[in-house]
Amino acid sequence: YRVESTYSDRRHPDSVKFSQKLEDDLKRRDFTINAMAVSLSGEAIKDIVDLYGGISDLKAKILRTVGKPQDRFNEDALRMMRAVRIAVQLGFDVDADTFKAIQSQKSLIDD
């Protein structure tokens, strides 16, 4: 599991550390649909860890950030382009707060 520091260049973390907690890794993810994990028992799913509502967002086809969208996009501006690509390719709706953050932070793409 990873924990990341600040993103000075708005693309890559300045440093990466490792953690013993799955929660640390999941909370750094960009979108709720990417912030899930499974534990396996043999080849069968034993448990699904979904701390941010990714399953319901996946079912509803809604793209939402983990935490504040402004924070996620300020960390890594490429996430805004990923949001648009996922929405277009998979037919997802972008959550209203996430969409507003993309509009207000679009200049970060230049970074």
Side-chain angles (χ1 to χ4, degrees), residues 75-98:
E75 290 168 347
D76 185 348
L78 185 61
R79 290 173 171 166
M80 292 183 278
M81 298 200 55
R82 290 187 69 225
V84 172
R85 179 180 54 86
I86 290 169
V88 170
Q89 285 184 328
L90 300 178
F92 277 56
D93 290 322
V94 178
D95 151 77
D97 290 336
T98 301

Side-chain angles (χ1 to χ4, degrees), residues 37-49 55:
V38 298
S39 60
L40 302 174
S41 177
E43 293 184 22
I45 294 175
K46 179 180 173 186
D47 190 25
I48 298 175
V49 179
I55 292 172

Side-chain angles (χ1 to χ4, degrees), residues 20-97:
Q20 298 296 312
K21 298 179 195 174
L22 174 61
E23 296 81 12
D24 288 338
D25 193 88
L26 297 179
K27 73 181 177 185
R28 70 176 184 81
R29 302 300 175 109
D30 50 6
F31 305 109
T32 60
I33 62 171
N34 295 341
M36 297 182 282
V38 298
S39 60
L40 302 174
S41 177
E43 293 184 22
I45 294 175
K46 179 180 173 186
D47 190 25
I48 298 175
V49 179
D50 180 17
L51 304 176
Y52 301 100
I55 292 172
S56 59
D57 285 350
L58 194 57
K59 288 178 181 177
K61 296 185 102 176
I62 294 175
L63 195 62
R64 181 185 332 269
T65 60
V66 173
K68 294 179 182 177
Q70 295 85 354
D71 294 344
R72 295 288 81 85
F73 299 147
N74 195 48
E75 290 168 347
D76 185 348
L78 185 61
R79 290 173 171 166
M80 292 183 278
M81 298 200 55
R82 290 187 69 225
V84 172
R85 179 180 54 86
I86 290 169
V88 170
Q89 285 184 328
L90 300 178
F92 277 56
D93 290 322
V94 178
D95 151 77
D97 290 336

